[in-house]
Amino acid sequence: MAITAQMVKELREMSGAGMMDAKKALIEVEGDMEAAIDWLRTKGLAKAAKKADRIAAEGLVGVSVSGGKGVAVEINSETDFVAKNADFQKLVAGVTEAALGVATVEELAAAKVAGKSVEDTITSAVAVIGEKISLRRMAVVEGDSVAAYVHNAAADGMGKIGVLVAVKGTDNGIAKQIAMHIAATSPLALSEAELDPAVVERERTVQTQKALEENAASAKPKPDSVIENNIIPGRMKKFLEENTLMGQKFVMNPDITVEQAAKDAGVVVTAFARVAVGEGIEKKEEDFAAEVAKTLAG
């Protein structure tokens, strides 16, 4: 029978196998889906199937810089133990290098590593390593010069946090220092202009409500105009100073801001990216008693 693209897609989703392996399996068993899964299992290519519902919140961030372009790629695994595996680290290194030639994570999935797509390379790695592995995201930063920093490095160019900083002008080492600063402080945006307006408005609402409640409980309440024209602007100024890279006090010299440090070094920071492993992923956590009760309940 004819093997359709939809059949291949369905088998890939069911088994986690690569496209060519799924197609070959269907051809071998003349389109029988269940038999195709068994065929893949016998070849060690369907290990990903039973792992599809697991949470992959560990892993590594790989960083690489070439010329004025830097990339940071997050590849997740289920356990931190796998992040220390030489095969996994080799995978991260290869995928990160491939990322230098693309612009999006979708393009990266289709990019080639040693003749195979990144997507198929990862699927093959699952069969070898035995854990769910996923390409989660990538960040791209470009400028006159780009510096990279890896925090908690597991190997050269990869670790738990990857930071990229792009500057305009001749970098004399300040970009690397700013990258280290970003790893520690995790700013929300480069400047006030680049902050999400919804985040700013939410903070303003919180601070306003907080100030009004504090004022109402005060022995000597201030006029509403003072709250609106003095207290709230002051609190918002502090929020922006603490959460924008340009407004933050420079970790290397807290007497000045990052913006001033860059200016003193003769550069302008134009972009940055900070990628931390597992950031934003909700991990499944069940205590032992709950796990036993769940098992007994069937």
Side-chain angles (χ1 to χ4, degrees), residues 3 8 11 18-30 36 39-40 43 45:
I3 306 302
V8 174
L11 181 57
M19 181 175 65
M20 296 309 296
D21 289 326
K23 184 177 180 180
K24 184 176 181 180
L26 287 166
I27 292 172
E28 287 290 331
V29 299
E30 299 180 346
W39 187 91
L40 288 167
K43 303 296 182 183
L45 298 171

Side-chain angles (χ1 to χ4, degrees), residues 9-10 22 41 64 91 149 163 167 189 193-194 200 203 216 245 288:
K9 179 176 181 294
E10 183 178 346
R41 290 184 63 194
S64 187
L91 170 69
Y149 169 69
V163 180
V167 297
E194 294 191 15
V200 177
E203 182 66 20
L245 177 59
F288 183 68

Side-chain angles (χ1 to χ4, degrees), residues 34-297:
E34 293 298 323
I37 290 176
D38 289 342
W39 187 91
L40 288 167
R41 290 184 63 194
T42 62
K43 303 296 182 183
L45 298 171
K47 277 192 175 184
K50 293 184 179 180
K51 304 177 186 298
D53 62 344
R54 293 188 184 176
I55 301 297
E58 298 294 341
L60 290 170
V61 174
V63 299
S64 187
V65 175
S66 179
K69 181 177 182 179
V71 295
V73 178
E74 179 183 1
I75 298 181
N76 296 129
S77 60
E78 293 177 53
T79 65
D80 186 53
F81 178 77
V82 165
K84 300 171 184 176
N85 180 293
D87 288 333
F88 183 76
Q89 292 178 1
K90 182 179 179 181
L91 170 69
V92 173
V95 174
T96 303
E97 283 304 307
L100 284 169
V102 299
T104 67
V105 71
E106 290 78 17
E107 291 178 4
L108 178 56
K112 299 293 184 181
V113 173
K116 293 173 63 176
S117 72
V118 166
E119 186 176 8
D120 287 345
T121 299
I122 288 175
T123 298
S124 297
V126 171
V128 173
I129 295 173
E131 275 196 13
K132 180 181 178 182
I133 298 171
S134 59
L135 169 63
R136 185 183 179 207
R137 55 180 170 161
M138 69 173 282
V140 180
V141 166
E142 296 183 88
D144 290 351
S145 180
V146 176
Y149 169 69
V150 173
H151 187 65
N152 283 346
D156 186 36
M158 64 187 75
K160 291 299 181 182
I161 300 174
V163 180
L164 302 167
V165 174
V167 297
K168 181 179 180 181
T170 302
D171 178 25
N172 60 1
I174 188 67
K176 178 68 173 290
Q177 291 184 355
I178 293 175
M180 294 171 71
H181 167 99
I182 292 168
T185 63
S186 190
L188 297 177
L190 179 64
S191 62
E192 180 180 356
E194 294 191 15
L195 260 178
D196 183 346
V199 171
V200 177
E201 188 55 38
R202 181 179 180 182
E203 182 66 20
R204 190 185 307 279
T205 299
V206 169
Q207 292 300 337
T208 299
Q209 185 63 34
K210 183 179 179 182
L212 289 173
E213 290 179 3
E214 290 172 350
N215 194 49
S218 173
K220 294 183 179 180
K222 297 178 176 63
D224 288 348
S225 59
V226 174
I227 302 293
E228 183 178 343
N229 299 323
N230 296 91
I231 295 179
I232 301 306
R235 292 186 178 185
M236 290 307 297
K237 180 181 179 182
K238 183 180 180 182
F239 170 76
L240 294 172
E241 288 175 349
E242 292 176 347
N243 292 281
T244 62
L245 177 59
M246 293 297 93
Q248 288 179 337
K249 300 297 183 183
F250 190 33
V251 169
M252 308 296 177
N253 181 4
D255 291 333
I256 60 175
T257 63
V258 172
E259 184 174 27
Q260 188 61 51
K263 184 177 180 181
D264 291 346
V267 301
V268 175
V269 180
T270 56
F272 79 90
R274 181 185 187 277
V275 180
V277 170
E279 192 172 45
I281 298 176
E282 291 188 14
K283 299 182 182 181
K284 290 181 180 177
E285 295 183 2
E286 293 184 359
D287 60 38
F288 183 68
E291 188 176 337
V292 170
K294 183 178 178 180
T295 301
L296 292 175

